[in-house]
Amino acid sequence: MLICRTERPGDGDDIDEVVYAAFDRPDEADLVLALREQGAISVSQVAEYEGAVIGHLAMSPVLINGEDIGWLGLAPVSVWPDCQNQGVGSEMIREAIQAANDFDWAGIVVLGNPAYYQRFGFRPARELGLTCPYPDAGDAFMALALKQPAPAGLVTYHPAFDAL
């Protein structure tokens, strides 16, 4: 049975392994470690199957026009390679959106496949008047406003993302 839960003390090594394996490179695992060390992860979900951590999702605060107004950036979403395309990531994303709602966050941005993220209510961020510093992002930069009205402006991620 798949269990999605909040990260707890002692999960760090398992999370690092999953993130590294999911992307088959150290960049995203280094990002999660840097965000964790700097206290910049606001929502951290793990997916557990039969006691093993097989997925991880992190959300960290983003700034809009240089201000922290309660928005999060969803990244990265990691699932162990043998467990991908089985709904693990989708379940973690649904749980994370619910957690963001429960903790009264205003919205979430993500840089990812539009066809995938639209099913969770995300839409191209430009439709809300949001832009990002990545000029080639296009419709892959998406947003989900949890509170209205949604802000407009430039979204910037935590400096740890600059290493990607």
Side-chain angles (χ1 to χ4, degrees):
M1 176 177 186
L2 182 69
I3 298 169
C4 290
R5 61 171 175 77
T6 300
E7 175 185 347
R8 5 182 226 245
D11 286 338
D13 289 344
D14 291 337
I15 289 169
D16 292 344
E17 271 188 59
V18 167
V19 177
Y20 183 90
F23 291 94
D24 197 27
R25 64 181 195 171
D27 300 13
E28 287 78 5
D30 291 346
L31 169 64
V32 171
L33 183 60
L35 291 170
R36 185 182 300 118
E37 286 177 346
Q38 296 174 43
I41 297 178
S42 299
V43 176
S44 182
Q45 298 277 331
V46 297
E48 202 176 75
Y49 183 77
E50 294 183 356
V53 173
I54 62 166
H56 177 256
L57 172 153
M59 290 200 288
S60 56
V62 295
L63 303 179
I64 300 178
N65 296 324
E67 293 183 59
D68 182 352
I69 57 172
W71 277 65
L72 296 168
L74 169 59
V77 177
S78 311
V79 176
W80 193 263
D82 292 345
C83 302
Q84 292 176 4
N85 301 309
Q86 298 177 30
V88 175
S90 295
E91 187 61 27
M92 287 191 305
I93 291 167
R94 281 190 285 275
E95 293 279 336
I97 291 170
Q98 185 60 52
N101 262 315
D102 291 348
F103 290 109
D104 211 28
W105 289 94
I108 306 167
V109 294
V110 66
L111 188 60
N113 182 327
Y116 181 76
Y117 285 99
Q118 284 175 349
R119 64 178 137 169
F120 306 105
F122 287 89
R123 60 187 214 198
R126 64 176 167 68
E127 292 178 9
L128 299 176
L130 293 170
T131 59
C132 72
Y134 314 114
D136 298 333
D139 285 351
F141 182 59
M142 305 186 75
L144 172 62
L146 301 174
K147 293 182 178 178
Q148 299 296 333
L154 177 65
V155 175
T156 50
Y157 287 81
H158 186 277
F161 282 85
D162 296 342
L164 281 181

